[in-house]
Amino acid sequence: MSGKRKSCSFGCGPGQVCQRQVLASTIFVPPFSSTVANCDGGDRGISREITIHLLNSNGGTAMTETGRLLGSGKEAEVFEYGALALKLYRPTARKASSFREAANLSILERLTLPTPKVHAVGEFDGRWGVLMDRVPSSCFADQFVSMAGKAQLEEMVQLHRSIHEKPGDGLPSLMARLSARIRRAEGLDAASRKRLLLELDTLPDGDRVCHGDFHPWNIHGSGQGFMIVDWLDACCGNPLADVCRTYVLLHHAMPDRAMDYVEAYASLTGSEVSGILAWLPPIAAARLTEGVANENDELLRLAGLNP
């Protein structure tokens, strides 16, 4: 590149070089996730070019890095960025998504939960994203799927409980989010929508951290080295609702493990299975807003409605 160019929104001014980068893709897309971070899979031989401009941690100095595409999902892609990871939301995603996830992670950081630390938020090559710590490349889902044993189930349940032990102060309200999504969900008639909202109002609210998308593909590492990713939908609410959300996700991806998970969580925490499944109608109905058309019939059945 030669000649002068205009400064970009992150301060790459005249005389500073912004390199074109070729990112060799390694993609793994789980069967139900909206986004995936750092979940390595088989190389499909896809490559792409992307220009990334970002201020480094010292402030003011533009830098670029070259890295692989580590993970891809419906809403975002995650790239290597030096020793860090860059999560880029799709061009169609709202700007607010990147700031929301960064804000959630900032709140969770002070709770000493095993989450990536945020380093920057900004616009990269026309897409908004979050620069964060890179998590271990090993994905817990590999063990969870291949071994299908009680040990993996219990590890996941214990990790989920550790999230729910933390206060959710500062995070968005789970009840408000469910209500808003039910109100805009497609495929619901007025009577069904009203019934679901009334049913939601009868359920007990809570004040604990809820992940909002907790499943094996959002867990990386093992043992004491676990890291949990994809906190866009983190909220403050009742942990049993969060477990029910995991049940809905597993019910689609691994139906034979879904109820096992609910029972294992109930056993570990002294909760009632019925208390978890009481959240099923509103949780399933709220997922109708997530653009998962292949699940809609199943979600309507789980919500107690006939597709």
Side-chain angles (χ1 to χ4, degrees):
M1 182 181 293
S2 61
K4 294 184 177 180
R5 57 179 173 80
K6 296 180 180 179
S7 297
C8 75
S9 60
F10 279 85
C12 300
Q16 293 179 315
V17 178
C18 287
Q19 303 171 1
R20 300 291 294 176
Q21 300 173 52
V22 178
L23 301 174
S25 297
T26 305
I27 307 176
F28 181 86
V29 183
F32 49 74
S33 179
S34 57
T35 55
V36 186
N38 301 310
C39 201
D40 288 344
D43 189 346
R44 300 182 184 179
I46 303 171
S47 64
R48 66 185 68 202
E49 292 187 350
I50 186 169
T51 303
I52 300 175
H53 313 300
L54 178 68
L55 296 181
N56 65 19
S57 58
N58 295 324
T61 303
M63 61 178 288
T64 59
E65 294 287 347
T66 301
R68 296 177 300 130
L69 177 61
L70 298 172
S72 178
K74 181 170 62 69
E75 293 185 5
E77 296 172 302
V78 181
F79 298 95
E80 286 181 341
Y81 195 91
L84 302 176
L86 177 62
K87 180 173 183 176
L88 289 181
Y89 282 87
R90 304 284 183 184
T92 54
R94 295 182 302 166
K95 178 179 178 180
S97 295
S98 55
F99 283 93
R100 190 172 90 203
E101 181 161 20
N104 289 346
L105 286 169
S106 298
I107 291 170
L108 297 167
E109 185 179 332
R110 63 179 170 78
L111 298 177
T112 64
L113 283 169
T115 63
K117 179 182 178 181
V118 172
H119 295 271
V121 181
E123 188 174 18
F124 312 91
D125 202 42
R127 297 166 61 181
W128 285 88
V130 184
L131 186 67
M132 62 183 76
D133 288 343
R134 196 190 306 180
V135 302
S137 60
S138 60
C139 193
F140 178 74
D142 295 338
Q143 305 173 37
F144 193 83
V145 173
S146 63
M147 297 182 183
K150 186 177 180 181
Q152 287 70 39
L153 201 67
E154 291 179 348
E155 275 190 307
M156 184 172 163
V157 164
Q158 288 170 357
L159 196 58
H160 209 176
R161 182 182 66 169
S162 72
I163 295 173
H164 297 154
E165 290 173 344
K166 302 295 185 179
D169 300 342
L171 293 171
S173 164
L174 171 61
M175 295 291 271
R177 177 172 296 162
L178 290 174
S179 177
R181 290 184 176 181
I182 291 170
R183 291 178 191 279
R184 70 172 191 267
E186 297 181 0
L188 298 179
D189 58 44
S192 296
R193 199 183 309 275
K194 181 179 180 180
R195 178 179 68 77
L196 287 164
L197 290 171
L198 289 173
E199 194 167 349
L200 177 63
D201 285 342
T202 67
L203 295 169
D205 201 356
D207 61 358
R208 301 288 93 186
V209 172
C210 295
H211 182 278
D213 202 27
F214 191 76
H215 56 70
W217 283 267
N218 276 340
I219 305 169
H220 290 255
S222 59
Q224 298 301 313
F226 277 130
M227 289 285 282
I228 307 166
V229 299
D230 199 2
W231 290 88
L232 176 63
D233 288 328
C235 49
C236 177
N238 190 323
L240 301 189
D242 202 35
V243 178
C244 188
R245 163 75 177 187
T246 298
Y247 170 81
V248 169
L249 298 174
L250 291 177
H251 188 274
H252 176 71
M254 292 174 284
D256 58 320
R257 309 295 301 281
M259 186 53 70
D260 289 345
Y261 186 80
V262 169
E263 291 174 349
Y265 186 94
S267 176
L268 182 68
T269 62
S271 307
E272 295 290 337
V273 170
S274 60
I276 295 171
L277 296 182
W279 288 88
L280 190 52
I283 293 288
R287 183 158 168 77
L288 291 168
T289 65
E290 297 178 31
V292 286
N294 63 316
E295 298 181 34
N296 282 359
D297 287 350
E298 177 185 352
L299 291 171
L300 288 170
R301 286 193 295 271
L302 291 175
L305 306 172
N306 292 321

